């Protein structure tokens, strides 16, 4: 714990605080959880036994391609498709062209076409949106007989969220039609379907964190009369198995986090270790990325402290010392920093030094420089915002967003997420990320602007720098509602850019890496959909329990 100097006490009255809510899940809770190795081994054995049956289903020639795509959809939604990546890729790649011909020959119903459309697009295959034209009448509306089928409308609704630039009018029409019909059906369906509709309308599948969506879908699938009991059991067993691994990670991280002693060393900062790990699990939940999640959660924890330091506690004079010190990235640079910043700088430096040592055995320690440079860039972006605030400057919206893409912290997070992915992420992939391609910029924009939409009022009350909403209002002399509408449209456009970036098989970028970019946008949607669920952790409290504590009951 640092001791406040006389100089620190002198500037105390100049410092700001957000009076953030205290932690619901302090590090002590998860630090005390021990790994149940025997339960993990038992789950693993049961999962392995069932996997062989699913592999047979995926390769069985008596199943037609539509049946296999529907099976793939179930595997994805149940959260177990990662076990069968090779088999799934082979099936989709071998059958994409022939399936397009079958659809164009008027073979399949709307429900089936919607599922095929979504599954192929989710895996990077650009199925054309005109496959839906045959379901319209002469006036361009969906045939009345089709819009009364709840399953067709649910799958059409989910499919329409994979829209891209240039086809907005078609898929936007589909989305509006399906949304309206689902709202009217909600109170007329059986209770389990009504719950599914209500959930889908507030949380589209494509924009949801995969791990959270899988847990939710398991409960829906359990009520589905056409469910496959073997798949359901496999999904439950595997969820519980992987949850034990996530608990072990969080226990390890909590012991590390506890040593930071946030309440004493950084009393102005948010203490959010469980919520931070949701970010990492949201970006990749699969068991093989356990070490990667530990790396990533440490980075995001440091970003959170750094963010609150620049936004709130640090005086502009202190920040003018901190930023160049981070650019130097030398432990000797701490000499001229205030005591609390010395401790923060030392932890930050040690975190990245630890990564270098960890990756040295893989011969990949050189890539840590990319992640380190991204952290330097982030501190420069934070500093720009601090200077705007302290000098009373409100930038134009474009100026704000250019810097805001950096302060979204998503380039820093994505760089760190690539570190633990082994040979999948090579030097060329880090160069690609550094070049900020369109899909990456779109993900950054979603993170920055969704945060602004839910946080700008609280930030203005406590006197923070202008957000994108205020920047647009000032530049255009618009009302708050007009600014919010503009920002919401920017977010919608960014999702189209993300969807477009996923398409175009064959793609030079690994789908494994592209999905990290998509998933970080999904995490944004989760945390900033209604309010700032990272800061106001009561909003995410249920999901902490669902992801890291409560196992799914399994009945024999």
């Amino acid at each position: 714990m640092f001791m406040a100097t006389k100089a620190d006490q002198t500037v105390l009255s100049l410092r700001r605080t957000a009076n953030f809510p205290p932690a619901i899940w302090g590090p002590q809770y998860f630090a005390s959880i021990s790994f149940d190795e025997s339960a993990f081994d038992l789950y693993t054995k049961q999962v392995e036994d069932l996997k062989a049956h699913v592999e047979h289903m995926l390769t069985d020639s008596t199943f037609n391609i539509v049946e296999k795509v529907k099976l793939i959809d179930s595997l994805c939604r149940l959260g177990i498709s990662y076990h069968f990546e090779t088999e799934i890729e082979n099936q989709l790649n071998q059958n994409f062209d022939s399936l397009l011909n079958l659809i164009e020959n008027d073979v399949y119903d709307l429900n089936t076409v919607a599922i095929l459309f979504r599954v192929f697009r989710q895996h990077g295959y650009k199925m054309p949106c005109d496959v839906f034209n045959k379901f319209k009448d002469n006036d361009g509306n969906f045939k009345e007989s089709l819009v009364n089928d709840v399953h067709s409308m649910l799958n059409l609704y989910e499919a329409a969220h994979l829209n891209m630039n240039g086809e907005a009018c078609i898929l936007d029409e589909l989305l509006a039609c399906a949304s309206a019909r689902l709202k009217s059906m909600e109170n007329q369906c059986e209770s389990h379907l009504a719950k599914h509709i209500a959930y889908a309308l507030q949380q589209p599948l494509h924009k949801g964190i995969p791990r959270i969506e899988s847990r939710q879908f398991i409960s829906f699938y359990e009520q589905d009369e056409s469910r496959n009991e073997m798949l359901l059991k496999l999904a439950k067993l595997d969820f519980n198995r992987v949850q034990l691994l996530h608990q072990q990670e969080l226990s390890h991280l909590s012991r590390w986090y506890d040593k930071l002693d946030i309440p004493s060393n950084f009393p102005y900062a948010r203490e959010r270790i469980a919520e931070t790990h949701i970010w990492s699990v949201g970006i990749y939940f699969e068991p093989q990325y356990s070490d990667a999640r530990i790396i990533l959660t440490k980075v995001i924890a440091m970003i959170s402290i750094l963010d609150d330091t620049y936004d709130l506690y640090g005086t502009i004079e202190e920040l003018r010392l901190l930023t160049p010190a981070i650019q130097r990235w030398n432990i000797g640079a701490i000499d001229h920093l205030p005591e609390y910043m010395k401790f923060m700088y030392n932890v930050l430096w040690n975190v990245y030094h630890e990564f270098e040592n960890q990756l040295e055995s893989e011969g990949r320690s050189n890539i840590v420089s990319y992640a380190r440079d991204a952290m330097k860039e982030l501190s420069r972006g934070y500093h720009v915002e601090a200077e705007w605030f302290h000098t009373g400057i409100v930038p134009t919206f474009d100026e704000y967003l250019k810097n805001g893409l950096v302060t979204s912290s998503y380039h820093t997070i994505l760089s760190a997420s690539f570190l633990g992915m082994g040979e999948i992420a090579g030097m060329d992939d880090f160069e690609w990320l550094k070049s900020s391609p369109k899909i990456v910029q779109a993900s950054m924009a979603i993170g920055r602007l969704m945060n602004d939409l839910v946080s700008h009022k609280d930030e203005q009350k406590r006197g923070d720098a202008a957000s994108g909403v205020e920047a647009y209002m000032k530049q255009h002399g618009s009302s708050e509602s007009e600014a919010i509408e503009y920002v919401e449209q920017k977010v919608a456009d960014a999702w189209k850019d993300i969807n477009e970036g996923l398409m175009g098989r064959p793609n030079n970028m690994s789908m494994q890496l592209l999905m990290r970019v998509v998933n970080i946008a999904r995490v944004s949607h989760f945390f900033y959909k209604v309010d700032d669920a990272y800061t106001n952790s009561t909003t995410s409290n249920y999901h902490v329990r669902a992801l890291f504590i409560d196992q799914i009951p399994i009945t024999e």
Side-chain angles (χ1 to χ4, degrees), residues 14-20 267-269 308 311-313 462 464:
L14 301 176
R15 301 190 190 281
R16 294 179 297 136
T17 178
N19 294 316
F20 292 127
Y268 57 88
D308 292 338
D311 264 4
L312 294 167
Y313 194 74
R462 65 176 180 248
D464 281 9

Side-chain angles (χ1 to χ4, degrees), residues 319-336:
L319 299 177
R320 287 169 182 165
L321 296 173
L322 177 61
T323 305
I326 291 176
Q327 306 314 302
R328 285 175 59 192
W329 206 272
N330 186 305
I331 198 63
I334 69 173
D335 292 343
H336 302 294

